[in-house]
Amino acid sequence: SKTIILSTHILQEVEALCDHVIVIHEGRIVADDRRDALSGLHGGLEQAFHALTQGGTAPVGAVAGGGGEGTHA
């Protein structure tokens, strides 16, 4: 099992490469979950990102501490 940390604002790269996503907004982790779970809760990864960083509320399953293995962004 390997972990690669990828820091990007290009969400298409995240969708193509990552299993697990951490969203950091203003220096704080606002989401830490599997990419598919985060996308499913918001109708897509881009919608999730905007909801989490522009005043939206984080769904319970997408808050810090989701854990798991895989490629992180």
Side-chain angles (χ1 to χ4, degrees), residues 4-24:
I4 298 171
I5 298 174
L6 168 68
S7 176
T8 184
H9 287 91
I10 303 170
L11 298 178
Q12 293 84 358
E13 287 183 355
V14 175
E15 289 176 335
L17 299 173
C18 301
D19 299 322
H20 193 96
V21 177
I22 296 172
V23 178
I24 300 173

Side-chain angles (χ1 to χ4, degrees), residues 7-69:
S7 176
T8 184
H9 287 91
I10 303 170
L11 298 178
Q12 293 84 358
E13 287 183 355
V14 175
E15 289 176 335
L17 299 173
C18 301
D19 299 322
H20 193 96
V21 177
I22 296 172
V23 178
I24 300 173
H25 179 61
E26 296 181 348
R28 296 176 190 245
I29 295 175
V30 295
D32 178 0
D33 210 339
R34 294 192 54 79
R35 176 188 35 89
D36 55 351
L38 202 58
S39 293
L41 289 170
H42 292 280
L45 193 55
E46 188 158 343
Q47 291 85 347
F49 177 80
H50 289 293
L52 293 163
T53 60
Q54 295 182 5
T57 58
V60 175
V63 294
E69 295 180 6

